């Protein structure tokens, strides 16, 4: 089959050619629960630019091409979306529904072959059948970008009450989904902070009640909007540079700072955690059940992906546009 | 009345005389809900050594000496313990039971006169009547050290399940109470880490299932006790030096690191928060209702304070002993 | 002052004259925290037809007319809405924010004089200042009907996930608010059941996704809409007749049946509770903080009251119309 | 193999011969995840007397005798305890860790062959490996009686605070485990109600703080112990006769009544649920993860089963003794 393969990693990301489009061996069914999915869409992720993980990525949806002998519940031809993690389901974390902390798991695109290719080898436990309203290429980015944003926003929505505020830092590929999830799951007022005017426009379309240009005074702006107390939840989709310190500063006393983006460093005196009684929450993708929940939102039109399509053979263009900040929403590779 | 007063703050804490025992003006009732308490015991707190806050401290219990005209529910002569914060009860945080985040409040001993004295001016909303089983001098340290330890341990107990582990860093004035609270409120196995053998002995008496000497290999020791996964909850009563980085390292994936002690700094890459999905939780004393709960534990003998008594006139000896690590448990000033 | 007073209770509610409009003694400030409110609007409640409680009712909003010497935070002339319960704030339930279970409390209109009058005596702890967007006569019914619906809907929203269903039985004075609160606080699909076509129309305006005519086959209709499993939450605003048994039958296994309306009886074998693992939840008005939350929703236009206004002197007309099912939404008495 | 088989059901339970000990066909592996367990102990359950379900029961532990080709994680010879439900793990309930509400499941002993036999056919997803401290015959009753008691007690422990009370109705096979679980998981005071003095003695051994003889005045006795307010949680292991009405009456306002036993009927006016804001909670066995948690308690000696052993060939004696109330704790059939 054809695939877009990383051969060597260019630390400075100056290369025009991030990946090579070439022939690779077809995946094969070897275990009872294996499933091969013909890729209909593969999301392009900022993690691909960090690329500590290798390449071929992990946001995939398509059609079931072949199934192992033990597979029940999906059949060849079904349109499916793939949870990014492949787990056996036997450890205690899995049994509690907490797939992401499974003891044994494979992460296609990170520690196994991923979906910048025509076919993907995965397992039955990773597949969710799509409703007719949703085409694979339109939903692929939900499996990682979408799911990560969903989980963080859902955590926040569990404690956000009417009259409270949530600040979202970054309205890009993840952020623009997070905003829609917040609007669907709670009645807090949503403040969105971004450097790009275009992203702030997207934020408004997605349901932001207030937008703040990240011009150096974003903490003051959030305090002004919140009667001086800060936001009860801050979801930081940037996670690098001064976003972190600012995100913590705009969190209200007793509030929660959800960290989703990465690349930077948290640095603060313990005394500040004590006197403000804040909580800092790490977020790692989401569970299978949460992906089902997100699909339910998408099926009802409560969450919409803003995507830009590229052919698999043009993967480099997509990575290039992402690297240079030309994508507002999410890039998707199609066959 | 007599009081132990801080006149100047010695940064290096080298002075033999931390405070002066002298005559000061008696407090007076001026508002309808005011109450004056004759101090029966005042806890001596490590915060007094940080002393950014001034002096006269905030762990007080005694007997009602005088009440304002609007006070109901307590009467002169009642033995009481004083919640450390004086609030009006009208803001939304108070109405939700979250006293510590009240918009308007006074913190006797920090931003108001405290209890290293014969009498304390406070308000009705701060007082809990003591059951007959508990004498003021025996319970005073519960109001801050005890309450702070209780709240952090209670938070952890809400998610700790049988088969899981909680690591307690520091078995001193707060830690030895936290251990007992954990033993009362959940069935997780309790691992206690401390530098002092004497504190580890106290930890065992308090209910620790495993003790670990803080000799530089404490992370490895905790991983060894927990099948390599770390503790689902870590409560850090030290909060300075390498305790913080070690505490975070011994927290299991998906687990919670509760920060109670202070003086140091949290420093970690955001990527570490993402891949491990940990949560860092700040802790600020506790609510009035939580102090009632802690008194219920004390009344039933489920939590016992290990105290060392000093006369109010000997406040300097107590502060000196605390500063030099000679107190295992908690020092209390009595009249 | 003028008031609409119940003199004798007519069990069959056949009387044309439920109350008499007459002169009564003005209320007076006697305690430090007392407040007198000049009524701008008083909601007319189905409880007034059950009238076990006497009369003069408990859904009031208006302007502060006089305050006791200890009152802070509100001043004469402020427009306010009155939480239905007057509490001292000293018991443990109050301190936990759980006002409704206060040990000492008065319930104007039930065990004290209520608001079918020109003035109401209440306490500072019951008052919430209104934002400029909200006039007293437009929000009065929120204090009981609205608050009760809000609390039940909020409880349900805490566990309702995308892809799940909530069934609302009864789209009247409480139900039509409950529907709007659910739409604001969660992303579950809302199914509304009522006998009256007009109420189902109101339900759709309020955000119902599906409406079901209560024609005897409502359980089957809900099962059909929910793939045969029932609704994960059912909120029963009727609570009498066959609504109860039907409500329990349309609750999914592991789901919650919230009972709000009353007059009927719950009857079911314990074995049915075991095999289905359902939960039946009682609901009693709501807390002060929840009324603040509801006001925040109203201020943003996320919840709107459908009201019909009557002069205080025409209270009998309002009670008559309510009794004969002519009010879709809520009746309000104005000065 | 040998089994104790029900041939005809005697409604009045007057028969001396409940089951016949005879030869039946050996179970066989037919699917990849099948496992055959050689029974080391089978708990005898009150459900066997209700026997609506057929016979051969569902509380089993033993040793792995044979495994299907897809089985990982357990091997022949491992000592195991069997979760009572066999599920495929693919439905959303399973994926959330909520096994008991699986869409497709088999319940050996209820709708499939059970464990009053030498061998049991089950699946890998039902097995938990036993620590060396626990022998199959000593833990078998944990899988249903124990697990059911554990789940109800755990639910209660999530909200029970120090200073609060939990009332346990019935200190038999389930109740005596529930008491120990409560003592391990929370610090509420435990009140146990039973008709038999011997059961109350067992309750005290298990950790009850107060015992109340069920002599008709048990509601008054519980109110007297709880300052008149009732218990914040009531766990009813009887669930028939007047236990239900009494259990509801001794539940505090805002409290929870957990129903575990069955046979009787819940009957109460909806108005009573409203004014008291109580919650009635159904309880159905427990999840796989909860059985792991219970095994952790057993391994540490925090929960001990009081068992009486009978040979499989003497199953009728066990059923007879149970029927006549001669078993205080739990009967177990051994090979």
């Amino acid at each position: 089959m054809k695939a877009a393969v990383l051969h060597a990693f260019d630390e400075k990301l100056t290369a025009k050619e991030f990946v090579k489009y070439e022939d690779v061996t077809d995946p094969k069914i070897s275990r009872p629960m294996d499933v091969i999915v013909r890729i209909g869409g593969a999301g392009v992720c900022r993690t691909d630019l960090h690329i500590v993980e290798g390449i071929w990525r992990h946001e995939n949806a398509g059609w079931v091409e072949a199934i192992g002998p033990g597979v029940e519940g999906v059949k060849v031809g079904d349109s499916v979306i793939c949870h990014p993690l492949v787990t056996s389901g036997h450890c205690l974390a899995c049994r509690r529904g907490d797939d992401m902390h499974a003891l044994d798991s494979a992460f296609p695109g990170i520690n196994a072959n991923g979906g910048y290719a025509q076919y993907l080898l995965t397992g039955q436990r990773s597949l969710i059948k799509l409703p007719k309203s949703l085409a694979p290429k339109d939903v692929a980015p939900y499996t990682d970008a979408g799911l990560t944003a969903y989980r963080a926003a859902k955590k926040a929505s569990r404690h956000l009450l009417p009259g409270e505020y949530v600040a979202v830092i970054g309205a890009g590929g993840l952020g623009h989904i997070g905003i829609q999830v917040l609007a669907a799951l709670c009645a807090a007022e949503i403040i969105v902070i971004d450097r790009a005017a275009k992203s702030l426009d997207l934020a408004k379309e997605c349901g932001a009640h207030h937008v703040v240009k990240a011009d150096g005074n974003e903490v003051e702006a959030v305090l002004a909007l919140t009667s001086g107390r800060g936001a009860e939840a801050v979801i930081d989709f940037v996670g690098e540079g001064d976003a972190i310190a600012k995100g913590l500063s705009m969190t209200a006393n007793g509030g929660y700072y959800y960290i989703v983006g990465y690349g930077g460093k948290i640095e603060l005196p313990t005394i500040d955690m004590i006197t403000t009684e804040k909580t800092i929450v790490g977020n790692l993708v989401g569970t299978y059940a949460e992906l089902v929940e997100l699909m339910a939102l998408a099926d009802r039109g409560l969450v919409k992906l803003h995507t830009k399509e590229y052919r698999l053979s043009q993967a480099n263009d997509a990575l290039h546009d992402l690297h240079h900040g030309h994508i507002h929403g999410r890039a998707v590779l199609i066959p």
Side-chain angles (χ1 to χ4, degrees), chain A residues 36 38 62-67 74-80 129:
Chain A
I36 291 170
R38 177 162 56 90
W63 299 270
V64 174
E65 179 77 15
I67 60 174
V74 293
K75 58 182 194 307
V76 173
D78 283 349
S79 67
V80 292
K129 279 208 270 189

Side-chain angles (χ1 to χ4, degrees), chain A residues 45-299:
Chain A
C45 176
R46 192 163 161 261
T47 302
D48 299 330
L49 294 175
H50 283 275
I51 310 199
V52 281
E53 314 92 324
I55 214 165
W56 286 18
R57 287 295 307 144
H58 47 284
E59 294 186 345
N60 306 302
W63 299 270
V64 174
E65 179 77 15
I67 60 174
V71 171
E72 292 166 4
V74 293
K75 58 182 194 307
V76 173
D78 283 349
S79 67
V80 292
I81 187 167
C82 309
H83 186 275
L85 202 64
V86 181
T87 57
S88 72
H90 297 317
C91 74
L92 190 54
C94 279
R95 293 306 293 265
R96 284 179 171 143
D98 191 16
D99 320 86
M100 291 309 300
H101 295 290
L103 292 185
D104 295 313
S105 61
F107 216 142
I110 291 190
N111 59 16
N113 280 343
Y116 282 11
Q118 287 182 287
Y119 299 98
L120 172 76
L121 176 64
T122 181
Q124 170 175 355
R125 276 178 56 83
S126 301
L127 300 182
I128 296 168
K129 279 208 270 189
L130 288 174
K132 285 179 188 173
S133 63
L134 303 174
K137 73 180 174 59
D138 296 332
V139 298
Y142 281 130
T143 67
D144 190 348
L147 185 52
T148 302
Y150 177 77
R151 181 173 171 86
K154 179 186 168 187
K155 284 186 192 173
S157 77
R158 297 292 92 178
H159 64 80
L160 283 167
L161 295 169
E164 297 189 333
Y165 292 84
V166 52
V168 172
I169 304 178
L174 277 79
H176 88 285
I177 302 175
I179 296 163
Q180 295 174 73
V181 173
L182 287 165
L185 295 192
C186 72
E189 287 188 57
I190 304 168
I191 303 168
V192 179
I193 299 121
D194 202 296
R195 266 185 277 195
K198 216 168 168 178
S199 294
L200 292 180
D201 289 344
L202 176 57
K204 276 186 221 161
E205 275 176 52
C206 288
H209 303 102
H210 312 273
V211 296
V212 170
K213 179 110 169 127
D215 59 1
N217 297 313
E218 49 268 47
V219 175
E220 292 70 19
V222 170
L223 293 179
L225 285 166
T226 56
S227 312
R229 67 176 196 268
E232 279 76 9
V234 173
I235 308 184
D236 183 353
F237 290 108
V238 172
E240 59 182 13
D242 62 1
I244 302 159
K246 291 201 155 128
L248 282 162
S249 296
M250 66 179 69
T251 305
N253 284 2
Y256 295 76
Y257 169 72
Y258 296 92
I259 178 79
V260 182
Y262 51 94
K265 207 171 173 181
I266 295 170
E267 292 184 277
L268 85 168
T270 48
I271 183 73
D272 289 0
M273 286 296 286
I274 305 306
T275 55
T276 64
E277 204 172 29
K278 290 175 188 172
T279 297
I280 301 174
V281 183
N283 294 281
L284 179 59
V285 196
T287 67
Y288 176 94
E290 286 169 339
L291 187 50
V292 173
E293 293 160 21
L294 179 56
M295 286 300 98
L297 290 181
D299 184 33

